[in-house]
Amino acid sequence: MAEDKYNLKNPAVKRILQEVKEMQSNPSDDFMSLPLEENIFDWQFAIRGPSETEFEGGIYHGRIQLPAEYPFKPPSFMLLTPNGRFETQTKICLSISNHHPEHWQPSWSVRTALVALIAFMPTNPNGALGSVEYKKEERRSLAIKSRAAAPRYGTAERQKLIDEIHECMLSKVPPVPQPSPSQDSKEHPSNREGDVQVSYQNDGATPAGEAAAEGSPNPAVGDRIVEEVQEAPLNGNPGPEVARTLNAAPSGGSSQLLQRPEMKVQKPADDRLFTWAAVGLTIAIMVLLFKKFMKSSGHGAVFMDGS
């Protein structure tokens, strides 16, 4: 990289060159990113799909554009590989992007942003700008296609960098795993409950922890980064997925609920039976005691005649 054509006293240039050296000295298996030779404010990157998701095994290329005020202003991101989560060649809306400069922190870096982007992949888009929502089967199919060839984009110099990054990521990222039969049954269209299950609760924590494990001087991406979710429309009514869950409840459950009151009705009858038995036994004991009392007091004969 020709550093001599840049003003090394410029804070943005100085910070970017520092991050380039850090990327090269401390590479990650989850992503790779380098600036163009002709413009260090323009980066190419590739990330691997997060494990245990429909993106696993995929290689997703993208572009990062750093502003002249970097790191005091956030970069912009766009994906170049079809993925089923973000639109391609469109600047996406994330809390780490230029769409939300109020959330950006100068201590964050390109590495931090890529870790966060991986964490965003399996989350619910909630209609955010630049997001799409495909079925899991379609996303898995796109993950397989993403390994076949790098996307075609930009100048020859840029394409050369994209191809180099792709070859490097292919050597690191295992192939797309085949879904197990149980996963196929859950995701089958006849079983609508599979669409309701969301297994993305802890996706944001794993990549953030990885950044700390790699010894990055940048802080881990915390709860503020997962603020793309707040862009969901405020709607108090249950969505169609919740309605499907309620409708999918087995009919046998209602019959069990109807049988429970019958069991509860029998309990009061048993209690009354025991109560009357206790009362009868008490009366019998009192009669015997009364007879003994009358006999001992001299009225036994009269009592016996009367009985």
Side-chain angles (χ1 to χ4, degrees):
M1 181 178 299
E3 299 181 4
D4 52 350
K5 67 178 182 179
Y6 296 104
N7 181 10
L8 300 182
K9 295 182 179 181
N10 184 294
V13 173
K14 190 174 182 180
R15 170 65 177 268
I16 292 172
L17 294 177
Q18 180 184 357
E19 291 192 26
V20 172
K21 292 180 180 178
E22 197 273 337
M23 282 279 191
Q24 294 174 340
S25 62
N26 187 18
S28 172
D29 291 339
D30 292 334
F31 55 84
M32 182 176 179
S33 183
L34 289 172
L36 298 181
E37 185 75 21
E38 60 186 14
N39 184 6
I40 63 174
F41 289 84
D42 199 345
W43 290 52
Q44 284 297 138
F45 72 86
I47 58 175
R48 65 184 294 181
S51 58
E52 298 182 0
T53 70
E54 61 271 24
F55 304 99
E56 183 175 2
I59 300 175
Y60 305 99
H61 290 263
R63 178 185 182 185
I64 301 176
Q65 292 177 287
L66 303 176
E69 298 82 5
Y70 183 81
F72 302 103
K73 288 188 178 181
S76 62
F77 302 85
M78 71 166 59
L79 270 293
L80 304 178
T81 306
N83 53 86
R85 173 61 176 86
F86 297 106
E87 295 181 7
T88 58
Q89 300 189 27
T90 301
K91 293 183 179 180
I92 58 180
C93 178
L94 299 173
S95 59
I96 57 172
S97 70
N98 60 341
H99 286 278
H100 293 282
E102 69 276 10
H103 298 318
W104 175 259
Q105 297 182 17
S107 59
W108 293 349
S109 64
V110 172
R111 176 183 291 270
T112 307
L114 292 177
V115 171
L117 182 59
I118 295 174
F120 276 125
M121 289 289 288
T123 59
N124 191 340
N126 289 325
L129 184 65
S131 296
V132 293
E133 189 170 4
Y134 285 20
K135 293 181 179 179
K136 289 185 177 182
E137 296 86 350
E138 296 173 326
R139 289 175 171 178
R140 188 174 289 112
S141 177
L142 290 174
I144 297 175
K145 293 179 180 179
S146 69
R147 302 176 62 92
R152 315 302 298 178
Y153 180 77
T155 63
E157 180 197 1
R158 183 187 297 274
Q159 189 61 51
K160 181 181 177 181
L161 182 58
I162 293 175
D163 293 338
E164 291 176 356
I165 292 176
H166 190 78
E167 291 299 324
C168 183
M169 291 298 292
L170 276 177
S171 64
K172 298 179 180 180
V173 181
V176 178
Q178 295 297 325
S180 61
S182 59
Q183 290 177 339
D184 288 339
S185 61
K186 289 181 181 179
E187 297 172 4
H188 195 273
S190 62
N191 184 0
R192 301 302 298 175
E193 291 184 2
D195 297 337
V196 182
Q197 296 178 356
V198 180
S199 58
Y200 310 139
Q201 285 83 355
N202 61 347
D203 290 326
T206 301
E210 177 190 349
E214 292 176 353
S216 173
N218 305 297
V221 182
D223 295 336
R224 292 186 59 193
I225 283 186
V226 193
E227 288 170 356
E228 183 192 30
V229 180
Q230 73 181 8
E231 306 210 5
L234 300 176
N235 186 0
N237 298 324
E241 294 179 346
V242 178
R244 286 201 301 269
T245 305
L246 297 176
N247 294 332
S251 58
S254 59
S255 61
Q256 294 177 357
L257 293 175
L258 294 176
Q259 292 175 1
R260 290 182 181 176
E262 295 179 1
M263 296 175 62
K264 293 182 179 180
V265 172
Q266 294 176 1
K267 288 186 177 181
D270 295 339
D271 294 341
R272 288 196 296 270
L273 181 61
F274 285 121
T275 301
W276 284 111
V279 170
L281 182 60
T282 303
I283 294 174
I285 293 174
M286 292 179 64
V287 170
L288 291 175
L289 292 176
F290 182 71
K291 285 183 177 182
K292 288 184 178 182
F293 173 76
M294 295 297 294
K295 189 174 182 179
S296 62
S297 62
H299 300 285
V302 177
F303 179 79
M304 293 299 293
D305 293 340
S307 61

